[in-house]
Structure formats: C-alpha cells, structure tokens
Amino acid sequence: MVYNTMSRTKEPLVTMRAGELRMYSCGVTVYDLSHVGHAKMMIVFDVIARYLRFAGYRVTFVRNFTDIEDKIIRRANEEGVPAREISERYIAAFREDIAALGVQAPDVEPKATDHVPEMLALIERLVAGGFAYVVDGDVYFEVRRFPAYGKLSGKNLDELLAGARVDVDDRKRDPRDFALWKAAKPDEPSWPSPWGPGRPGWHIECSAMAMRYLGPSFDIHGGGEDLIFPHHECEIAQSEAVTHQPFARYWVHNGFVNMGKEKMSKSLGNTLTIRDIVKRHDPEALRLWILGTHYRHLLEWSDERVHEAAVALARLRRPIEYAAPYAASETFRAAHEHPVPAEFAAFSRRFVEAMDDDFNTPEALAALFDFSSALLGKSLSPQALVTGAAELQRLARVLGLLQRDAQPAPPDVLRLMDERVAARAQRDFRRSDELRAEIQRLGWLVEDTPEGARLTRKSG
RNA sequence: GGCGGCGUACCCAAGUGGUUAAGGGAGCGGACUGCAAAUCCGUUAUGCGCCGGUUCGAAUCCGGCCGCCGCCUCCA
C-alpha cells in the first residue's frame, strides 16, 4: 500500500508494467549547500527505491537537478561568475553530502539545462494546443484551459483567485497562469526559442525530464510536501494537457524537518547543513533518526535525538559484531548458504509487512530491534547467530543501515589487548583498566565475557 | 478565509474497531563482572489533548471544543 496524495488514501501499489517501476523525484536547486531537510527527502526516497528493489521490482529512479533558476543567477551575479559555475559547484557538493549519508545514486540524474530542447518541444505543443500563450517573449500556461488544475492539492480555482497573493502581472490573462518560458533579461543565461531568447520556467523542466526518461505516464512521482502546490500541480497541468493521460499514478510526498517549531528555510536563516551534521554525528545515526518517524510526518531537529539514535544503532548492530568472529572462521565460511532458522522468519515477515504498508519504517525498525534482541538474548548456536545476524543485516541494509560489516581491530589495538589479557591473568586490575581506557581512546570497546575479552568498534 | 496534518509514558515514536497499547532513548531495582561494558530479568500510560455520542467493544468511527503546525508566494 502506498499513500497517494492525489486520492489522500493508501492505495495498493500496482505498477503499469508488471515487475517494473518507474519513479521520479524532484531534486534540489543547486545554489547553496543542502540541509537536513534535503537529507530527509533524499533518505526517504533512497529507502523507497531500495525497498521496491528488495521487493522485486526493476526500478528506474530519476532525480533531477534544477540548475537554472533565479537564485542561481543571483548568486552568480553576486560572485561575478557564470551561472554554470555556481550550479556545478553545488552539484558536486550535493553529491558529496548525500554520498556521506549513504544515499545511492539514482539511475538517471538529469540537469535542466541539458534538456532545454525537450522543454521547448513541450511548450510548443502547449501553445499549439491552445493551453499556452505568448506575451513579449514570455510563455504562460493558461490555467483556465485545464479544468483539472487543483486536483492534486485539493484547491479549486475560485478560491485560489480569492486568496491570490500571486504577482499581479497584467500581461497574464489570469493571475494563476504560470510561466513556461521567460524572456531573457540582461546578464542572464539564455537559450534561443521560437519566442526569442529566454530560459525555462521552473515547472516545465520536471515534465520534460520525467517524460524523456520515464515516458508520458509513469508510476511514482515524489518530492517534499511543499512541492504539492504549485510545483506538482503545474507539472500535472502542463503534462496532461499534452499527453491526455495521467502523468504519474502515485504522488508521494515527505514531511518536513523543522527547527524547533519553525520550518527550516533559507529565508529564516535557520538551516543546518548536511556537512555540519556529518561532522558531529554518524550518518547512519541520522538515518535511523529520520526513519524512526514515518516519512509523511513532521520531524523536529534535535542533536539529542540523533545522539539517542546513535546509541540505538549500536544496539541494532551488536549481533553483527558478536557474530563476526564466528563468521570469519573457517568453520562458518559458508554460513550465508545456510538457511535462516525458522524462528527468525517472523521478524523478516514483520519487516516486509511494515514496509509494504506505506513504507512504515518505524514499525519495520521495531521488527529489526526485536530481531536484534532475539539474537542477543538466548544463547544461540554460533551457526544460528551467524545466519541470523546476516539476515538482520540484509534487512537493515534495505533501510541503508548496518552497511558496514564488523571490522577487525587494527594491530596496535590487538597488541594492547594482549597486554591486558596478561595483566588480568596476574590480577593487575589497575594496569588492566589503564589499557582498557587506552583502547577506548583508539575507538574500541572492550567487553569481558566468559569466553574472553571481546572488542567492538565504538560508534556514534 | 480555503485545504491539509498533528496532539499516545520522562523524551522520541508505531498502532486507525476486538487478546496484557510496538520499538528506541532515559531513569530506577536486581542478576552477571575484580570494577566496568554489554546482555538478561523486573519496573515507569487501567490509559492514548478535553467533553459528548455510536457500538457488545474505540487511542482507533462521529460531533463539538482546546492547543500546535504546514500549504495557499521561492522552498525538500
């Protein structure tokens, strides 16, 4: 089941082509560093894509870059460099940031400026079909000609007009009409067009790129909830006016990350960049924190909550650390080929059921935590522990968690461990404790167990 | 004003008609330990913003009220 903004209900997921799923999600406008809000959106759609693949779909995932836009141009003019330099700079920064978050690259990452011909073709068809009109080199979509306008956001045209704070531009036939093409102003990048040099409006790029890579009608279209109106509403209008078929079947929108009670936004100056967060938190902890709340719900930024997630992550990971020595040994080399014990099947089933229910990651995580407890609690056979831990990791990876295998300790840590074992044998606990503290400084935790001391990497 | 969302324990957060209201964090008591850590056991909501109603039965449905938030303008 997937919650569809269009119907405002959860609907069974039925793809247009059996076994195949085509998905488009609106990317970022590259004029500045990305913040936690972007991180949430990227992680949410990363998990959706991962899960759909896990569930057996052949997924084609497209996510664009908006690399021509007012704010990019303004910034370029401020710095006295070409717009392209700004967009390239922040595309590179964006890629670095989300790679640090473990977000997998989509199948296609188109840039708006590489698809101007496709946009022009679309606009020409809209003009030819009477859905758009030209004024002084600008081209506007005439909302009145598309009666379904408002169907996604639940707005009706009259109310839109009543509360209209839209820019009053008398050249437009109606204040609600939106720009498909903007005539070039001095000092702006421009492309030739049948209506003179200019640049594309914001909405048309997504229609053009989605259609180019996914066809006129595809399965899932996603983005932040703020894009429902006007962005996605406009995409639907301009696309469906041309194609006469549903642009996307399912509209999926993620909830925001707030700073305190306020929305995070550049204009309020309360953004927190991904880079700043990654400096002080394990990226997987950030991911766990984000996935601990349903994707459609609002999240309030808190360093404390992310820290708690780091602690929880260590717990989740523990069975993998415990299983590592066995898994590495010769005897269990083929452990992955052993079937997962039946007693663990319930956890996998619960995980899948949760994810099938509109990507309910909090519930899926609960299943993983219970799984983890089951692996830690009873004294399992090494074989059960190894296969169970492998299954736990396989599921966690669908959420982008527990990506790393347990790592062997470096030689200097092992040397200190040997020293500590010797000290303890002589009941020299003072020395033993010193060594334990020393090892901790190197990033490893020492746990004494009946089977001897165990080393685990410190996390969070 | 229009549209939408939220209010569940000390904190975060699932659950949207039916056994004892998930899970994580935090606290407290205990076991284990040389001490720890980890783990385990016990414990912290007879109640899910408030008031009514429907029902054999509601956190879940309906009505009203209170509080918080988002969109309607660039925004993930």
Side-chain angles (χ1 to χ4, degrees):
Chain A
M1 302 287 280
V2 179
Y3 183 87
N4 190 348
T5 306
M6 185 69 82
S7 63
R8 297 184 196 279
T9 56
K10 287 187 201 173
E11 298 175 16
L13 178 63
V14 181
T15 57
M16 300 174 71
R17 304 174 189 162
E20 187 180 333
L21 191 142
R22 288 164 295 150
M23 169 162 112
Y24 184 95
S25 130
C26 290
V28 291
T29 302
V30 279
Y31 71 102
D32 204 348
L33 293 173
S34 300
H35 56 64
V36 210
H38 299 117
K40 173 172 177 180
M41 192 226 161
M42 295 305 150
I43 287 171
V44 163
F45 286 97
D46 180 50
V47 167
I48 289 176
R50 284 175 191 249
Y51 180 69
L52 292 171
R53 289 198 172 103
F54 174 86
Y57 291 102
R58 282 196 316 284
V59 175
T60 306
F61 179 26
V62 179
R63 186 183 59 218
N64 73 295
F65 283 112
T66 298
D67 64 342
I68 181 68
E69 194 264 350
D70 292 357
K71 290 189 285 288
I72 297 171
I73 294 167
R74 196 199 314 139
R75 183 137 192 171
N77 289 341
E78 278 165 15
E79 295 191 20
V81 299
R84 187 166 184 90
E85 191 173 319
I86 298 292
S87 61
E88 291 299 326
R89 182 198 303 164
Y90 290 108
I91 283 173
F94 173 85
R95 288 200 166 120
E96 254 175 54
D97 288 347
I98 66 162
L101 298 179
V103 172
Q104 292 177 339
D107 300 288
V108 190
E109 285 184 289
K111 289 184 262 186
T113 54
D114 290 338
H115 298 81
V116 173
E118 287 92 333
M119 295 188 230
L120 289 173
L122 216 44
I123 297 170
E124 283 188 88
R125 289 177 68 183
L126 287 167
V127 172
F131 289 99
Y133 56 94
V134 182
V135 186
D136 304 333
D138 287 349
V139 184
Y140 294 99
F141 185 92
E142 189 164 11
V143 168
R144 217 177 335 196
R145 297 295 317 278
F146 189 78
Y149 190 79
K151 68 177 176 179
L152 177 68
S153 52
K155 303 187 181 306
N156 78 56
L157 289 174
D158 299 333
E159 280 163 2
L160 265 180
L161 195 56
R165 307 233 28 100
V166 195
D167 56 326
V168 185
D169 183 342
D170 358 309
R171 297 178 314 148
K172 289 202 273 186
R173 292 182 189 168
D174 187 302
R176 300 161 297 192
D177 292 348
F178 59 90
L180 295 168
W181 187 259
K182 299 176 174 183
K185 293 183 202 137
D187 297 326
E188 280 188 0
S190 66
W191 289 259
S193 86
W195 317 285
R199 60 188 172 92
W202 175 34
H203 313 300
I204 195 71
E205 63 174 81
C206 287
S207 292
M209 290 185 272
M211 285 193 212
R212 161 76 197 276
Y213 297 103
L214 300 176
S217 188
F218 53 95
D219 299 300
I220 295 178
H221 190 129
E225 64 183 357
D226 56 328
L227 298 182
I228 296 170
F229 188 90
H231 186 54
H232 290 162
E233 198 69 72
C234 294
E235 279 185 49
I236 290 170
Q238 70 205 178
S239 304
E240 297 184 2
V242 165
T243 65
H244 307 291
Q245 50 186 311
F247 185 43
R249 291 186 53 156
Y250 302 91
W251 290 85
V252 176
H253 295 97
N254 66 280
F256 268 62
V257 178
N258 276 189
M259 280 306 247
K261 294 284 179 207
E262 278 185 327
K263 163 179 181 167
M264 180 177 303
S265 82
K266 300 260 159 98
S267 49
L268 289 167
N270 61 356
T271 59
L272 184 60
T273 63
I274 294 172
R275 305 194 155 192
D276 284 340
I277 292 167
V278 170
K279 271 181 212 152
R280 46 183 205 262
H281 294 289
D282 178 344
E284 285 199 0
L286 178 75
R287 196 178 259 267
L288 180 58
W289 170 66
I290 286 172
L291 299 177
T293 299
H294 188 85
Y295 76 89
R296 280 190 279 117
H297 291 181
L298 180 80
L299 215 41
E300 237 174 71
W301 170 258
S302 159
D303 271 297
E304 186 53 35
R305 295 293 92 72
V306 179
H307 175 69
E308 287 174 8
V311 176
L313 182 64
R315 176 181 174 77
L316 199 59
R317 161 172 281 141
R318 200 155 294 277
I320 286 131
E321 305 281 353
Y322 282 19
Y326 299 114
S329 78
E330 199 57 43
T331 324
F332 295 97
R333 194 52 63 80
H336 289 276
E337 287 147 39
H338 291 288
V340 177
E343 58 186 307
F344 299 143
F347 299 112
S348 309
R349 195 166 52 241
R350 187 142 78 91
F351 176 87
V352 167
E353 278 169 9
M355 290 302 285
D356 277 342
D357 183 15
D358 194 30
F359 313 106
N360 189 339
T361 53
E363 178 60 34
L365 282 168
L368 296 188
F369 277 105
D370 284 343
F371 195 173
S372 178
S373 291
L375 291 168
L376 296 173
K378 296 166 273 190
S379 51
L380 294 171
S381 70
Q383 173 123 168
L385 175 61
V386 169
T387 53
E391 174 67 0
L392 172 66
Q393 192 172 22
R394 185 176 79 95
L395 299 176
R397 281 176 168 163
V398 175
L399 304 179
L401 298 171
L402 309 188
Q403 297 287 339
R404 295 183 302 272
D405 288 323
Q407 293 172 355
D412 52 336
V413 169
L414 291 175
R415 206 187 58 243
L416 292 170
M417 277 297 278
D418 288 343
E419 245 187 88
R420 183 167 177 277
V421 168
R424 288 190 85 228
Q426 291 167 27
R427 302 190 64 79
D428 182 354
F429 296 121
R430 191 190 168 84
R431 179 66 188 141
S432 161
D433 290 349
E434 278 170 17
L435 287 162
R436 183 166 60 196
E438 176 68 20
I439 292 166
Q440 251 193 68
R441 274 193 292 279
L442 294 172
W444 293 77
L445 294 177
V446 182
E447 295 163 21
D448 294 315
T449 75
E451 292 83 40
R454 169 161 53 212
L455 269 174
T456 51
R457 220 164 68 92
K458 225 158 105 179
S459 70

